[in-house]
Amino acid sequence: MISSMTGYGRAAVEHDGRRVEIELKSVNHRYLDLSYRMSKSISFCEDTLRKRIGLKLSRGHVDVYVSYVNNREDARRLAVDELVVAAYIGAARAIADKYGVACDLDALSLLRLPNATALEEAEDDREAILALMSEAVDAALEQLVASRRNEGERLRKSFCDCLDAIEDLAKRIEDREPVVVEEYARKLHERIAAHLDGSAIIDEGRLAMEVALFADRASINEELVRIASHIEKLRSLLCTDGAVGRTFEFYTQELNREFNTIGSKANDALVTDCVVSGKAVLEKIREQIQNIE
């Protein structure tokens, strides 16, 4: 079934003190375009995320929001700036000697002094992070794909209604075609008769030839056959899995071309009205088709 390019998915995975949360938001785009929102410390995961997303999606702009937290005991370490600590000790001893006071420093007091220590992130296990990323993005993608398919089903029903409407208009045009020729023959006969005003006999053979030439010029049988073929192709695409948006757009343009041709040949108000209505329905399809994968 067809899929929309609009969707949302989110998943969080936690293992061994590490937690990854991924949120995916997609909208329509001509190609698959990924935009990442993550801290620089985990930017090495972009390639893995791109490959896994590319396995499931063909088109669409996707915002990828990634958060990572390491709550393991070895995730951080306290780094001591020994130069700063030594400077503190030296300064304390100098003051004690100069003023005859006790130098009662202890290790804990030294660690509390400004700039003596810094809490640093320990080097993390990249393989463990990548494994979590893969699991999380796969779960988020599952939700996103389901969301896009649900929206695609809604669009499929709308497209089916539009194709039914176009088929109905084509049938009305087809039924009207012989009437147009008959009316042309009648009006032509009346105009010639009025012009001659009974002074001469109408050349029925010449009249029939003129009507036949008109019928040939105004014939829209080929256009109607192609319209039926394009509608059949579009209906089959609506039941096809995968990315069909570009193909659907192509056949929609072809339908519009056939209606334009019929409109240029039309010499009848009812046919013209059907053409205008058909082009309006096709415009609705073109607007919606921009969101089909």
mmCIF file of all heavy atoms in Angstrom, residues 147-178:
data_model
loop_
_atom_site.group_PDB
_atom_site.id
_atom_site.type_symbol
_atom_site.label_atom_id
_atom_site.label_comp_id
_atom_site.label_asym_id
_atom_site.label_seq_id
_atom_site.Cartn_x
_atom_site.Cartn_y
_atom_site.Cartn_z
ATOM 1 N N SER A 147 3.015 4.965 11.014
ATOM 2 C CA SER A 147 2.348 6.264 10.954
ATOM 3 C C SER A 147 2.194 6.734 9.508
ATOM 4 O O SER A 147 1.141 7.225 9.101
ATOM 5 C CB SER A 147 3.153 7.291 11.761
ATOM 6 O OG SER A 147 2.631 8.587 11.619
ATOM 7 N N ARG A 148 3.250 6.572 8.721
ATOM 8 C CA ARG A 148 3.207 6.995 7.315
ATOM 9 C C ARG A 148 2.233 6.138 6.506
ATOM 10 O O ARG A 148 1.562 6.632 5.592
ATOM 11 C CB ARG A 148 4.613 6.936 6.720
ATOM 12 C CG ARG A 148 5.495 8.077 7.220
ATOM 13 C CD ARG A 148 6.975 7.861 6.979
ATOM 14 N NE ARG A 148 7.368 7.642 5.607
ATOM 15 C CZ ARG A 148 8.282 8.373 4.943
ATOM 16 N NH1 ARG A 148 8.855 9.409 5.532
ATOM 17 N NH2 ARG A 148 8.614 8.082 3.712
ATOM 18 N N ARG A 149 2.133 4.866 6.851
ATOM 19 C CA ARG A 149 1.184 3.990 6.137
ATOM 20 C C ARG A 149 -0.259 4.344 6.480
ATOM 21 O O ARG A 149 -1.142 4.284 5.613
ATOM 22 C CB ARG A 149 1.477 2.536 6.473
ATOM 23 C CG ARG A 149 2.695 1.984 5.730
ATOM 24 C CD ARG A 149 2.969 0.545 6.076
ATOM 25 N NE ARG A 149 4.097 0.028 5.289
ATOM 26 C CZ ARG A 149 4.692 -1.123 5.526
ATOM 27 N NH1 ARG A 149 4.258 -1.895 6.518
ATOM 28 N NH2 ARG A 149 5.712 -1.516 4.780
ATOM 29 N N ASN A 150 -0.511 4.692 7.737
ATOM 30 C CA ASN A 150 -1.864 5.103 8.131
ATOM 31 C C ASN A 150 -2.288 6.353 7.367
ATOM 32 O O ASN A 150 -3.419 6.445 6.877
ATOM 33 C CB ASN A 150 -1.920 5.356 9.638
ATOM 34 C CG ASN A 150 -1.839 4.084 10.448
ATOM 35 O OD1 ASN A 150 -2.154 2.999 9.945
ATOM 36 N ND2 ASN A 150 -1.418 4.178 11.688
ATOM 37 N N GLU A 151 -1.374 7.311 7.282
ATOM 38 C CA GLU A 151 -1.672 8.523 6.523
ATOM 39 C C GLU A 151 -1.794 8.194 5.036
ATOM 40 O O GLU A 151 -2.625 8.762 4.326
ATOM 41 C CB GLU A 151 -0.560 9.552 6.739
ATOM 42 C CG GLU A 151 -0.712 10.843 5.948
ATOM 43 C CD GLU A 151 -1.924 11.665 6.345
ATOM 44 O OE1 GLU A 151 -2.533 11.353 7.388
ATOM 45 O OE2 GLU A 151 -2.272 12.606 5.600
ATOM 46 N N GLY A 152 -0.991 7.253 4.556
ATOM 47 C CA GLY A 152 -1.073 6.831 3.165
ATOM 48 C C GLY A 152 -2.411 6.191 2.837
ATOM 49 O O GLY A 152 -2.951 6.383 1.742
ATOM 50 N N GLU A 153 -2.974 5.443 3.789
ATOM 51 C CA GLU A 153 -4.273 4.818 3.577
ATOM 52 C C GLU A 153 -5.365 5.875 3.441
ATOM 53 O O GLU A 153 -6.284 5.740 2.615
ATOM 54 C CB GLU A 153 -4.596 3.867 4.735
ATOM 55 C CG GLU A 153 -5.975 3.233 4.693
ATOM 56 C CD GLU A 153 -6.213 2.387 3.452
ATOM 57 O OE1 GLU A 153 -5.243 1.990 2.781
ATOM 58 O OE2 GLU A 153 -7.401 2.130 3.140
ATOM 59 N N ARG A 154 -5.255 6.929 4.246
ATOM 60 C CA ARG A 154 -6.227 8.020 4.140
ATOM 61 C C ARG A 154 -6.131 8.679 2.758
ATOM 62 O O ARG A 154 -7.149 8.961 2.106
ATOM 63 C CB ARG A 154 -5.973 9.059 5.222
ATOM 64 C CG ARG A 154 -7.013 10.176 5.281
ATOM 65 C CD ARG A 154 -6.600 11.277 6.213
ATOM 66 N NE ARG A 154 -5.446 11.997 5.714
ATOM 67 C CZ ARG A 154 -5.511 12.938 4.769
ATOM 68 N NH1 ARG A 154 -6.671 13.239 4.207
ATOM 69 N NH2 ARG A 154 -4.423 13.559 4.372
ATOM 70 N N LEU A 155 -4.919 8.896 2.298
ATOM 71 C CA LEU A 155 -4.725 9.490 0.979
ATOM 72 C C LEU A 155 -5.196 8.547 -0.131
ATOM 73 O O LEU A 155 -5.743 8.993 -1.143
ATOM 74 C CB LEU A 155 -3.243 9.835 0.780
ATOM 75 C CG LEU A 155 -2.707 11.001 1.615
ATOM 76 C CD1 LEU A 155 -1.199 11.121 1.448
ATOM 77 C CD2 LEU A 155 -3.383 12.304 1.237
ATOM 78 N N ARG A 156 -4.970 7.237 0.065
ATOM 79 C CA ARG A 156 -5.401 6.262 -0.944
ATOM 80 C C ARG A 156 -6.910 6.343 -1.168
ATOM 81 O O ARG A 156 -7.379 6.317 -2.314
ATOM 82 C CB ARG A 156 -5.017 4.848 -0.516
ATOM 83 C CG ARG A 156 -5.266 3.789 -1.582
ATOM 84 C CD ARG A 156 -5.134 2.388 -1.016
ATOM 85 N NE ARG A 156 -6.198 2.092 -0.070
ATOM 86 C CZ ARG A 156 -7.436 1.724 -0.427
ATOM 87 N NH1 ARG A 156 -7.755 1.587 -1.702
ATOM 88 N NH2 ARG A 156 -8.338 1.490 0.500
ATOM 89 N N LYS A 157 -7.667 6.438 -0.078
ATOM 90 C CA LYS A 157 -9.125 6.539 -0.198
ATOM 91 C C LYS A 157 -9.517 7.817 -0.936
ATOM 92 O O LYS A 157 -10.447 7.807 -1.761
ATOM 93 C CB LYS A 157 -9.764 6.500 1.190
ATOM 94 C CG LYS A 157 -9.626 5.157 1.890
ATOM 95 C CD LYS A 157 -10.221 5.195 3.285
ATOM 96 C CE LYS A 157 -10.066 3.841 3.983
ATOM 97 N NZ LYS A 157 -10.601 3.886 5.373
ATOM 98 N N SER A 158 -8.817 8.902 -0.635
ATOM 99 C CA SER A 158 -9.101 10.168 -1.322
ATOM 100 C C SER A 158 -8.785 10.054 -2.811
ATOM 101 O O SER A 158 -9.555 10.517 -3.666
ATOM 102 C CB SER A 158 -8.277 11.297 -0.693
ATOM 103 O OG SER A 158 -8.475 12.512 -1.385
ATOM 104 N N PHE A 159 -7.660 9.398 -3.144
ATOM 105 C CA PHE A 159 -7.291 9.213 -4.546
ATOM 106 C C PHE A 159 -8.313 8.348 -5.276
ATOM 107 O O PHE A 159 -8.643 8.613 -6.438
ATOM 108 C CB PHE A 159 -5.901 8.577 -4.657
ATOM 109 C CG PHE A 159 -4.774 9.502 -4.317
ATOM 110 C CD1 PHE A 159 -3.671 9.045 -3.638
ATOM 111 C CD2 PHE A 159 -4.815 10.833 -4.685
ATOM 112 C CE1 PHE A 159 -2.621 9.893 -3.323
ATOM 113 C CE2 PHE A 159 -3.780 11.694 -4.382
ATOM 114 C CZ PHE A 159 -2.679 11.228 -3.696
ATOM 115 N N CYS A 160 -8.776 7.312 -4.610
ATOM 116 C CA CYS A 160 -9.787 6.438 -5.230
ATOM 117 C C CYS A 160 -11.051 7.228 -5.565
ATOM 118 O O CYS A 160 -11.635 7.057 -6.648
ATOM 119 C CB CYS A 160 -10.123 5.278 -4.294
ATOM 120 S SG CYS A 160 -8.848 3.997 -4.200
ATOM 121 N N ASP A 161 -11.474 8.092 -4.649
ATOM 122 C CA ASP A 161 -12.652 8.932 -4.909
ATOM 123 C C ASP A 161 -12.398 9.854 -6.108
ATOM 124 O O ASP A 161 -13.281 10.057 -6.949
ATOM 125 C CB ASP A 161 -12.992 9.767 -3.673
ATOM 126 C CG ASP A 161 -13.501 8.919 -2.511
ATOM 127 O OD1 ASP A 161 -13.941 7.783 -2.760
ATOM 128 O OD2 ASP A 161 -13.465 9.400 -1.368
ATOM 129 N N CYS A 162 -11.186 10.411 -6.169
ATOM 130 C CA CYS A 162 -10.846 11.304 -7.281
ATOM 131 C C CYS A 162 -10.838 10.560 -8.610
ATOM 132 O O CYS A 162 -11.344 11.068 -9.628
ATOM 133 C CB CYS A 162 -9.481 11.949 -7.033
ATOM 134 S SG CYS A 162 -9.468 13.186 -5.707
ATOM 135 N N LEU A 163 -10.278 9.364 -8.621
ATOM 136 C CA LEU A 163 -10.232 8.576 -9.860
ATOM 137 C C LEU A 163 -11.631 8.160 -10.302
ATOM 138 O O LEU A 163 -11.931 8.125 -11.502
ATOM 139 C CB LEU A 163 -9.340 7.350 -9.672
ATOM 140 C CG LEU A 163 -7.849 7.635 -9.476
ATOM 141 C CD1 LEU A 163 -7.082 6.336 -9.230
ATOM 142 C CD2 LEU A 163 -7.275 8.355 -10.696
ATOM 143 N N ASP A 164 -12.490 7.850 -9.331
ATOM 144 C CA ASP A 164 -13.887 7.537 -9.666
ATOM 145 C C ASP A 164 -14.553 8.746 -10.327
ATOM 146 O O ASP A 164 -15.305 8.599 -11.299
ATOM 147 C CB ASP A 164 -14.660 7.148 -8.405
ATOM 148 C CG ASP A 164 -14.280 5.766 -7.884
ATOM 149 O OD1 ASP A 164 -13.660 4.997 -8.649
ATOM 150 O OD2 ASP A 164 -14.593 5.473 -6.713
ATOM 151 N N ALA A 165 -14.275 9.930 -9.778
ATOM 152 C CA ALA A 165 -14.861 11.148 -10.329
ATOM 153 C C ALA A 165 -14.358 11.404 -11.757
ATOM 154 O O ALA A 165 -15.137 11.773 -12.643
ATOM 155 C CB ALA A 165 -14.524 12.340 -9.432
ATOM 156 N N ILE A 166 -13.054 11.199 -11.982
ATOM 157 C CA ILE A 166 -12.486 11.402 -13.315
ATOM 158 C C ILE A 166 -13.072 10.394 -14.298
ATOM 159 O O ILE A 166 -13.398 10.722 -15.447
ATOM 160 C CB ILE A 166 -10.955 11.276 -13.260
ATOM 161 C CG1 ILE A 166 -10.368 12.464 -12.500
ATOM 162 C CG2 ILE A 166 -10.361 11.209 -14.667
ATOM 163 C CD1 ILE A 166 -8.890 12.354 -12.252
ATOM 164 N N GLU A 167 -13.218 9.145 -13.852
ATOM 165 C CA GLU A 167 -13.795 8.108 -14.715
ATOM 166 C C GLU A 167 -15.228 8.462 -15.095
ATOM 167 O O GLU A 167 -15.653 8.263 -16.245
ATOM 168 C CB GLU A 167 -13.743 6.765 -13.994
ATOM 169 C CG GLU A 167 -13.989 5.573 -14.882
ATOM 170 C CD GLU A 167 -13.696 4.270 -14.164
ATOM 171 O OE1 GLU A 167 -14.149 4.109 -13.008
ATOM 172 O OE2 GLU A 167 -12.994 3.421 -14.745
ATOM 173 N N ASP A 168 -15.974 8.985 -14.139
ATOM 174 C CA ASP A 168 -17.356 9.386 -14.406
ATOM 175 C C ASP A 168 -17.407 10.537 -15.421
ATOM 176 O O ASP A 168 -18.248 10.535 -16.341
ATOM 177 C CB ASP A 168 -18.033 9.799 -13.099
ATOM 178 C CG ASP A 168 -19.466 10.245 -13.311
ATOM 179 O OD1 ASP A 168 -20.295 9.393 -13.680
ATOM 180 O OD2 ASP A 168 -19.763 11.442 -13.104
ATOM 181 N N LEU A 169 -16.507 11.500 -15.272
ATOM 182 C CA LEU A 169 -16.466 12.625 -16.209
ATOM 183 C C LEU A 169 -16.089 12.148 -17.611
ATOM 184 O O LEU A 169 -16.655 12.621 -18.611
ATOM 185 C CB LEU A 169 -15.466 13.675 -15.714
ATOM 186 C CG LEU A 169 -15.891 14.459 -14.468
ATOM 187 C CD1 LEU A 169 -14.703 15.234 -13.898
ATOM 188 C CD2 LEU A 169 -17.037 15.411 -14.796
ATOM 189 N N ALA A 170 -15.139 11.235 -17.703
ATOM 190 C CA ALA A 170 -14.740 10.688 -19.001
ATOM 191 C C ALA A 170 -15.903 9.954 -19.662
ATOM 192 O O ALA A 170 -16.092 10.037 -20.889
ATOM 193 C CB ALA A 170 -13.548 9.753 -18.835
ATOM 194 N N LYS A 171 -16.684 9.243 -18.843
ATOM 195 C CA LYS A 171 -17.848 8.530 -19.388
ATOM 196 C C LYS A 171 -18.890 9.524 -19.920
ATOM 197 O O LYS A 171 -19.498 9.294 -20.998
ATOM 198 C CB LYS A 171 -18.476 7.663 -18.284
ATOM 199 C CG LYS A 171 -19.674 6.835 -18.739
ATOM 200 C CD LYS A 171 -19.245 5.821 -19.793
ATOM 201 C CE LYS A 171 -20.335 4.785 -20.064
ATOM 202 N NZ LYS A 171 -21.582 5.396 -20.577
ATOM 203 N N ARG A 172 -19.081 10.624 -19.214
ATOM 204 C CA ARG A 172 -20.035 11.642 -19.663
ATOM 205 C C ARG A 172 -19.560 12.277 -20.980
ATOM 206 O O ARG A 172 -20.363 12.545 -21.875
ATOM 207 C CB ARG A 172 -20.200 12.711 -18.584
ATOM 208 C CG ARG A 172 -20.964 12.210 -17.364
ATOM 209 C CD ARG A 172 -20.853 13.181 -16.203
ATOM 210 N NE ARG A 172 -21.422 14.474 -16.533
ATOM 211 C CZ ARG A 172 -21.346 15.545 -15.731
ATOM 212 N NH1 ARG A 172 -20.693 15.432 -14.568
ATOM 213 N NH2 ARG A 172 -21.882 16.692 -16.085
ATOM 214 N N ILE A 173 -18.262 12.495 -21.083
ATOM 215 C CA ILE A 173 -17.708 13.040 -22.328
ATOM 216 C C ILE A 173 -17.888 12.050 -23.469
ATOM 217 O O ILE A 173 -18.256 12.423 -24.589
ATOM 218 C CB ILE A 173 -16.221 13.387 -22.142
ATOM 219 C CG1 ILE A 173 -16.064 14.557 -21.164
ATOM 220 C CG2 ILE A 173 -15.572 13.718 -23.474
ATOM 221 C CD1 ILE A 173 -14.630 14.857 -20.788
ATOM 222 N N GLU A 174 -17.621 10.773 -23.182
ATOM 223 C CA GLU A 174 -17.766 9.731 -24.205
ATOM 224 C C GLU A 174 -19.210 9.645 -24.698
ATOM 225 O O GLU A 174 -19.467 9.510 -25.909
ATOM 226 C CB GLU A 174 -17.321 8.384 -23.633
ATOM 227 C CG GLU A 174 -17.370 7.243 -24.632
ATOM 228 C CD GLU A 174 -16.913 5.925 -24.029
ATOM 229 O OE1 GLU A 174 -16.853 5.832 -22.776
ATOM 230 O OE2 GLU A 174 -16.629 4.994 -24.796
ATOM 231 N N ASP A 175 -20.162 9.711 -23.769
ATOM 232 C CA ASP A 175 -21.578 9.648 -24.144
ATOM 233 C C ASP A 175 -21.993 10.880 -24.953
ATOM 234 O O ASP A 175 -22.897 10.815 -25.792
ATOM 235 C CB ASP A 175 -22.452 9.543 -22.895
ATOM 236 C CG ASP A 175 -22.278 8.213 -22.175
ATOM 237 O OD1 ASP A 175 -21.760 7.273 -22.809
ATOM 238 O OD2 ASP A 175 -22.614 8.132 -20.976
ATOM 239 N N ARG A 176 -21.326 11.976 -24.685
ATOM 240 C CA ARG A 176 -21.698 13.230 -25.344
ATOM 241 C C ARG A 176 -21.109 13.350 -26.751
ATOM 242 O O ARG A 176 -21.655 14.072 -27.592
ATOM 243 C CB ARG A 176 -21.201 14.402 -24.478
ATOM 244 C CG ARG A 176 -21.573 15.780 -24.992
ATOM 245 C CD ARG A 176 -23.064 16.020 -24.941
ATOM 246 N NE ARG A 176 -23.389 17.362 -25.432
ATOM 247 C CZ ARG A 176 -24.621 17.812 -25.623
ATOM 248 N NH1 ARG A 176 -25.659 17.012 -25.354
ATOM 249 N NH2 ARG A 176 -24.841 19.031 -26.082
ATOM 250 N N GLU A 177 -20.020 12.635 -27.026
ATOM 251 C CA GLU A 177 -19.297 12.819 -28.288
ATOM 252 C C GLU A 177 -20.182 12.660 -29.521
ATOM 253 O O GLU A 177 -20.178 13.537 -30.407
ATOM 254 C CB GLU A 177 -18.104 11.864 -28.363
ATOM 255 C CG GLU A 177 -17.262 12.075 -29.607
ATOM 256 C CD GLU A 177 -16.075 11.115 -29.675
ATOM 257 O OE1 GLU A 177 -16.078 10.113 -28.950
ATOM 258 O OE2 GLU A 177 -15.157 11.393 -30.477
ATOM 259 N N PRO A 178 -20.974 11.581 -29.658
ATOM 260 C CA PRO A 178 -21.805 11.461 -30.872
ATOM 261 C C PRO A 178 -22.879 12.548 -30.949
ATOM 262 O O PRO A 178 -23.262 12.978 -32.043
ATOM 263 C CB PRO A 178 -22.427 10.062 -30.745
ATOM 264 C CG PRO A 178 -22.328 9.728 -29.291
ATOM 265 C CD PRO A 178 -21.091 10.391 -28.793
#
